mmCIF file of all heavy atoms in Angstrom:
data_model
loop_
_atom_site.group_PDB
_atom_site.id
_atom_site.type_symbol
_atom_site.label_atom_id
_atom_site.label_comp_id
_atom_site.label_asym_id
_atom_site.label_seq_id
_atom_site.Cartn_x
_atom_site.Cartn_y
_atom_site.Cartn_z
ATOM 1 N N PRO D 16 48.046 48.372 119.227
ATOM 2 C CA PRO D 16 46.613 48.699 119.072
ATOM 3 C C PRO D 16 46.186 48.820 117.622
ATOM 4 O O PRO D 16 45.024 48.787 117.312
ATOM 5 C CB PRO D 16 46.463 50.035 119.802
ATOM 6 C CG PRO D 16 47.812 50.626 119.772
ATOM 7 C CD PRO D 16 48.790 49.462 119.840
ATOM 8 N N TYR D 17 47.148 49.028 116.719
ATOM 9 C CA TYR D 17 46.826 49.175 115.299
ATOM 10 C C TYR D 17 47.061 47.887 114.526
ATOM 11 O O TYR D 17 47.043 47.865 113.314
ATOM 12 C CB TYR D 17 47.669 50.284 114.662
ATOM 13 C CG TYR D 17 47.441 51.624 115.316
ATOM 14 C CD1 TYR D 17 48.336 52.092 116.264
ATOM 15 C CD2 TYR D 17 46.318 52.390 114.995
ATOM 16 C CE1 TYR D 17 48.135 53.315 116.884
ATOM 17 C CE2 TYR D 17 46.105 53.612 115.625
ATOM 18 C CZ TYR D 17 47.022 54.083 116.559
ATOM 19 O OH TYR D 17 46.823 55.281 117.160
ATOM 20 N N GLY D 18 47.293 46.873 115.245
ATOM 21 C CA GLY D 18 47.587 45.605 114.600
ATOM 22 C C GLY D 18 46.327 44.920 114.113
ATOM 23 O O GLY D 18 45.249 45.499 114.046
ATOM 24 N N GLN D 19 46.486 43.691 113.821
ATOM 25 C CA GLN D 19 45.384 42.915 113.270
ATOM 26 C C GLN D 19 44.298 42.715 114.306
ATOM 27 O O GLN D 19 44.599 42.506 115.480
ATOM 28 C CB GLN D 19 45.935 41.561 112.819
ATOM 29 C CG GLN D 19 45.005 40.797 111.895
ATOM 30 C CD GLN D 19 45.657 39.535 111.408
ATOM 31 O OE1 GLN D 19 46.471 38.957 112.124
ATOM 32 N NE2 GLN D 19 45.325 39.139 110.199
ATOM 33 N N GLN D 20 43.035 42.856 113.896
ATOM 34 C CA GLN D 20 41.944 42.679 114.835
ATOM 35 C C GLN D 20 41.803 41.225 115.197
ATOM 36 O O GLN D 20 42.099 40.341 114.389
ATOM 37 C CB GLN D 20 40.622 43.167 114.217
ATOM 38 C CG GLN D 20 40.584 44.665 113.987
ATOM 39 C CD GLN D 20 39.235 45.107 113.476
ATOM 40 O OE1 GLN D 20 38.400 44.266 113.216
ATOM 41 N NE2 GLN D 20 39.060 46.407 113.328
ATOM 42 N N PRO D 21 41.353 40.953 116.377
ATOM 43 C CA PRO D 21 41.172 39.560 116.775
ATOM 44 C C PRO D 21 40.135 38.888 115.894
ATOM 45 O O PRO D 21 39.195 39.505 115.408
ATOM 46 C CB PRO D 21 40.663 39.654 118.225
ATOM 47 C CG PRO D 21 41.069 41.000 118.676
ATOM 48 C CD PRO D 21 41.074 41.872 117.475
ATOM 49 N N GLN D 22 40.368 37.602 115.690
ATOM 50 C CA GLN D 22 39.436 36.843 114.875
ATOM 51 C C GLN D 22 38.078 36.747 115.561
ATOM 52 O O GLN D 22 38.002 36.645 116.767
ATOM 53 C CB GLN D 22 39.981 35.433 114.623
ATOM 54 C CG GLN D 22 41.254 35.424 113.773
ATOM 55 C CD GLN D 22 41.701 34.019 113.490
ATOM 56 O OE1 GLN D 22 41.070 33.070 113.952
ATOM 57 N NE2 GLN D 22 42.776 33.894 112.723
ATOM 58 N N GLY D 23 37.063 36.768 114.731
ATOM 59 C CA GLY D 23 35.710 36.665 115.274
ATOM 60 C C GLY D 23 35.043 37.998 115.483
ATOM 61 O O GLY D 23 33.862 38.070 115.731
ATOM 62 N N GLN D 24 35.817 39.112 115.427
ATOM 63 C CA GLN D 24 35.244 40.441 115.590
ATOM 64 C C GLN D 24 34.991 41.052 114.218
ATOM 65 O O GLN D 24 35.910 41.141 113.411
ATOM 66 C CB GLN D 24 36.185 41.349 116.400
ATOM 67 C CG GLN D 24 36.427 40.862 117.813
ATOM 68 C CD GLN D 24 35.173 40.929 118.649
ATOM 69 O OE1 GLN D 24 34.329 41.773 118.415
ATOM 70 N NE2 GLN D 24 35.048 40.020 119.615
ATOM 71 N N PRO D 25 33.781 41.456 113.936
ATOM 72 C CA PRO D 25 33.497 42.029 112.613
ATOM 73 C C PRO D 25 34.136 43.381 112.450
ATOM 74 O O PRO D 25 34.384 44.094 113.438
ATOM 75 C CB PRO D 25 31.961 42.134 112.604
ATOM 76 C CG PRO D 25 31.605 42.281 114.037
ATOM 77 C CD PRO D 25 32.602 41.439 114.808
ATOM 78 N N GLY D 26 34.389 43.763 111.220
ATOM 79 C CA GLY D 26 34.931 45.084 110.940
ATOM 80 C C GLY D 26 33.893 46.157 111.159
ATOM 81 O O GLY D 26 32.693 45.903 111.270
ATOM 82 N N TYR D 27 34.344 47.380 111.206
ATOM 83 C CA TYR D 27 33.450 48.512 111.465
ATOM 84 C C TYR D 27 32.468 48.666 110.309
ATOM 85 O O TYR D 27 32.850 48.664 109.150
ATOM 86 C CB TYR D 27 34.271 49.788 111.628
ATOM 87 C CG TYR D 27 33.418 51.013 111.854
ATOM 88 C CD1 TYR D 27 32.828 51.244 113.099
ATOM 89 C CD2 TYR D 27 33.173 51.904 110.819
ATOM 90 C CE1 TYR D 27 32.043 52.352 113.310
ATOM 91 C CE2 TYR D 27 32.390 53.008 111.023
ATOM 92 C CZ TYR D 27 31.827 53.224 112.283
ATOM 93 O OH TYR D 27 31.038 54.326 112.487
ATOM 94 N N GLY D 28 31.191 48.830 110.648
ATOM 95 C CA GLY D 28 30.166 49.080 109.637
ATOM 96 C C GLY D 28 29.576 47.835 109.036
ATOM 97 O O GLY D 28 28.691 47.928 108.211
ATOM 98 N N TYR D 29 30.025 46.663 109.447
ATOM 99 C CA TYR D 29 29.485 45.423 108.906
ATOM 100 C C TYR D 29 28.672 44.730 109.973
ATOM 101 O O TYR D 29 29.028 44.740 111.148
ATOM 102 C CB TYR D 29 30.596 44.497 108.417
ATOM 103 C CG TYR D 29 31.331 45.048 107.227
ATOM 104 C CD1 TYR D 29 32.444 45.854 107.394
ATOM 105 C CD2 TYR D 29 30.881 44.781 105.932
ATOM 106 C CE1 TYR D 29 33.106 46.375 106.296
ATOM 107 C CE2 TYR D 29 31.536 45.291 104.833
ATOM 108 C CZ TYR D 29 32.655 46.094 105.013
ATOM 109 O OH TYR D 29 33.297 46.601 103.941
ATOM 110 N N PRO D 30 27.577 44.085 109.592
ATOM 111 C CA PRO D 30 26.753 43.402 110.596
ATOM 112 C C PRO D 30 27.455 42.179 111.137
ATOM 113 O O PRO D 30 28.223 41.516 110.433
ATOM 114 C CB PRO D 30 25.494 43.012 109.803
ATOM 115 C CG PRO D 30 25.964 42.916 108.385
ATOM 116 C CD PRO D 30 27.031 43.969 108.240
ATOM 117 N N GLN D 31 27.211 41.906 112.401
ATOM 118 C CA GLN D 31 27.770 40.722 113.011
ATOM 119 C C GLN D 31 27.051 39.490 112.515
ATOM 120 O O GLN D 31 25.931 39.548 112.044
ATOM 121 C CB GLN D 31 27.654 40.808 114.536
ATOM 122 C CG GLN D 31 28.431 41.967 115.135
ATOM 123 C CD GLN D 31 28.294 41.997 116.635
ATOM 124 O OE1 GLN D 31 27.673 41.098 117.207
ATOM 125 N NE2 GLN D 31 28.892 42.988 117.251
ATOM 126 N N GLN D 32 27.759 38.374 112.605
ATOM 127 C CA GLN D 32 27.168 37.127 112.157
ATOM 128 C C GLN D 32 25.944 36.797 113.010
ATOM 129 O O GLN D 32 26.001 36.844 114.229
ATOM 130 C CB GLN D 32 28.206 36.001 112.249
ATOM 131 C CG GLN D 32 27.703 34.684 111.649
ATOM 132 C CD GLN D 32 28.774 33.614 111.665
ATOM 133 O OE1 GLN D 32 29.838 33.855 112.222
ATOM 134 N NE2 GLN D 32 28.488 32.491 111.063
ATOM 135 N N GLY D 33 24.825 36.465 112.346
ATOM 136 C CA GLY D 33 23.591 36.159 113.074
ATOM 137 C C GLY D 33 22.644 37.329 113.136
ATOM 138 O O GLY D 33 21.492 37.165 113.457
ATOM 139 N N GLN D 34 23.162 38.551 112.845
ATOM 140 C CA GLN D 34 22.279 39.713 112.817
ATOM 141 C C GLN D 34 21.707 39.876 111.420
ATOM 142 O O GLN D 34 22.308 39.475 110.430
ATOM 143 C CB GLN D 34 23.029 40.989 113.210
ATOM 144 C CG GLN D 34 23.436 41.020 114.677
ATOM 145 C CD GLN D 34 24.109 42.326 115.030
ATOM 146 O OE1 GLN D 34 24.474 43.082 114.138
ATOM 147 N NE2 GLN D 34 24.265 42.568 116.314
ATOM 148 N N GLN D 35 20.529 40.454 111.346
ATOM 149 C CA GLN D 35 19.816 40.606 110.078
ATOM 150 C C GLN D 35 20.108 41.966 109.477
ATOM 151 O O GLN D 35 19.530 42.967 109.884
ATOM 152 C CB GLN D 35 18.301 40.438 110.292
ATOM 153 C CG GLN D 35 17.882 39.104 110.855
ATOM 154 C CD GLN D 35 18.150 37.996 109.868
ATOM 155 O OE1 GLN D 35 18.178 38.239 108.671
ATOM 156 N NE2 GLN D 35 18.342 36.790 110.375
ATOM 157 N N GLY D 36 21.034 42.008 108.516
ATOM 158 C CA GLY D 36 21.255 43.249 107.782
ATOM 159 C C GLY D 36 22.027 44.285 108.580
ATOM 160 O O GLY D 36 22.163 44.204 109.792
ATOM 161 N N GLY D 37 22.515 45.276 107.871
ATOM 162 C CA GLY D 37 23.220 46.371 108.512
ATOM 163 C C GLY D 37 22.290 47.500 108.871
ATOM 164 O O GLY D 37 21.080 47.393 108.775
ATOM 165 N N TYR D 38 22.847 48.596 109.262
ATOM 166 C CA TYR D 38 22.059 49.754 109.669
ATOM 167 C C TYR D 38 21.276 50.300 108.484
ATOM 168 O O TYR D 38 21.822 50.506 107.405
ATOM 169 C CB TYR D 38 22.991 50.828 110.220
ATOM 170 C CG TYR D 38 22.275 52.086 110.612
ATOM 171 C CD1 TYR D 38 21.525 52.136 111.786
ATOM 172 C CD2 TYR D 38 22.314 53.199 109.788
ATOM 173 C CE1 TYR D 38 20.851 53.286 112.136
ATOM 174 C CE2 TYR D 38 21.640 54.345 110.136
ATOM 175 C CZ TYR D 38 20.919 54.383 111.319
ATOM 176 O OH TYR D 38 20.262 55.526 111.662
ATOM 177 N N GLY D 39 19.981 50.511 108.699
ATOM 178 C CA GLY D 39 19.144 51.096 107.650
ATOM 179 C C GLY D 39 18.559 50.080 106.693
ATOM 180 O O GLY D 39 17.855 50.443 105.779
ATOM 181 N N TYR D 40 18.845 48.817 106.889
ATOM 182 C CA TYR D 40 18.306 47.781 106.012
ATOM 183 C C TYR D 40 17.281 46.964 106.760
ATOM 184 O O TYR D 40 17.436 46.709 107.960
ATOM 185 C CB TYR D 40 19.422 46.860 105.489
ATOM 186 C CG TYR D 40 20.376 47.569 104.573
ATOM 187 C CD1 TYR D 40 21.495 48.218 105.090
ATOM 188 C CD2 TYR D 40 20.141 47.604 103.196
ATOM 189 C CE1 TYR D 40 22.364 48.878 104.243
ATOM 190 C CE2 TYR D 40 21.014 48.272 102.353
ATOM 191 C CZ TYR D 40 22.131 48.911 102.879
ATOM 192 O OH TYR D 40 22.976 49.559 102.048
ATOM 193 N N PRO D 41 16.242 46.502 106.083
ATOM 194 C CA PRO D 41 15.213 45.715 106.778
ATOM 195 C C PRO D 41 15.738 44.349 107.154
ATOM 196 O O PRO D 41 16.606 43.784 106.483
ATOM 197 C CB PRO D 41 14.092 45.614 105.737
ATOM 198 C CG PRO D 41 14.795 45.756 104.421
ATOM 199 C CD PRO D 41 15.925 46.707 104.669
ATOM 200 N N GLN D 42 15.225 43.822 108.239
ATOM 201 C CA GLN D 42 15.591 42.495 108.655
ATOM 202 C C GLN D 42 14.939 41.471 107.745
ATOM 203 O O GLN D 42 13.974 41.740 107.065
ATOM 204 C CB GLN D 42 15.157 42.244 110.108
ATOM 205 C CG GLN D 42 15.871 43.155 111.104
ATOM 206 C CD GLN D 42 15.457 42.844 112.519
ATOM 207 O OE1 GLN D 42 14.605 41.993 112.736
ATOM 208 N NE2 GLN D 42 16.064 43.518 113.473
ATOM 209 N N GLN D 43 15.519 40.292 107.755
ATOM 210 C CA GLN D 43 15.002 39.239 106.896
ATOM 211 C C GLN D 43 13.578 38.896 107.292
ATOM 212 O O GLN D 43 13.276 38.701 108.457
ATOM 213 C CB GLN D 43 15.893 38.012 107.009
ATOM 214 C CG GLN D 43 15.508 36.894 106.024
ATOM 215 C CD GLN D 43 16.462 35.743 106.111
ATOM 216 O OE1 GLN D 43 17.356 35.759 106.951
ATOM 217 N NE2 GLN D 43 16.280 34.758 105.249
ATOM 218 N N GLY D 44 12.689 38.782 106.295
ATOM 219 C CA GLY D 44 11.294 38.451 106.563
ATOM 220 C C GLY D 44 10.427 39.661 106.780
ATOM 221 O O GLY D 44 9.226 39.550 106.932
ATOM 222 N N GLN D 45 11.020 40.879 106.810
ATOM 223 C CA GLN D 45 10.249 42.100 106.977
ATOM 224 C C GLN D 45 10.264 42.887 105.678
ATOM 225 O O GLN D 45 11.219 42.816 104.906
ATOM 226 C CB GLN D 45 10.812 42.966 108.108
ATOM 227 C CG GLN D 45 10.670 42.333 109.484
ATOM 228 C CD GLN D 45 11.181 43.264 110.565
ATOM 229 O OE1 GLN D 45 11.780 44.288 110.262
ATOM 230 N NE2 GLN D 45 10.936 42.904 111.800
ATOM 231 N N GLN D 46 9.198 43.659 105.435
ATOM 232 C CA GLN D 46 9.119 44.480 104.247
ATOM 233 C C GLN D 46 9.781 45.812 104.497
ATOM 234 O O GLN D 46 9.734 46.351 105.604
ATOM 235 C CB GLN D 46 7.660 44.708 103.845
ATOM 236 C CG GLN D 46 6.951 43.423 103.402
ATOM 237 C CD GLN D 46 5.531 43.707 102.992
ATOM 238 O OE1 GLN D 46 5.029 44.792 103.233
ATOM 239 N NE2 GLN D 46 4.896 42.726 102.378
ATOM 240 N N ALA D 47 10.389 46.340 103.423
ATOM 241 C CA ALA D 47 11.062 47.621 103.575
ATOM 242 C C ALA D 47 10.048 48.749 103.743
ATOM 243 O O ALA D 47 10.286 49.710 104.461
ATOM 244 C CB ALA D 47 11.948 47.898 102.348
#
Side-chain angles (χ1 to χ4, degrees):
Y17 300 99
Q19 196 175 31
Q20 293 184 355
Q22 294 183 359
Q24 297 293 330
Y27 178 76
Y29 293 90
Q31 298 181 4
Q32 186 176 6
Q34 291 183 347
Q35 300 293 334
Y38 178 75
Y40 293 89
Q42 296 182 357
Q43 186 176 4
Q45 294 183 351
Q46 294 181 349

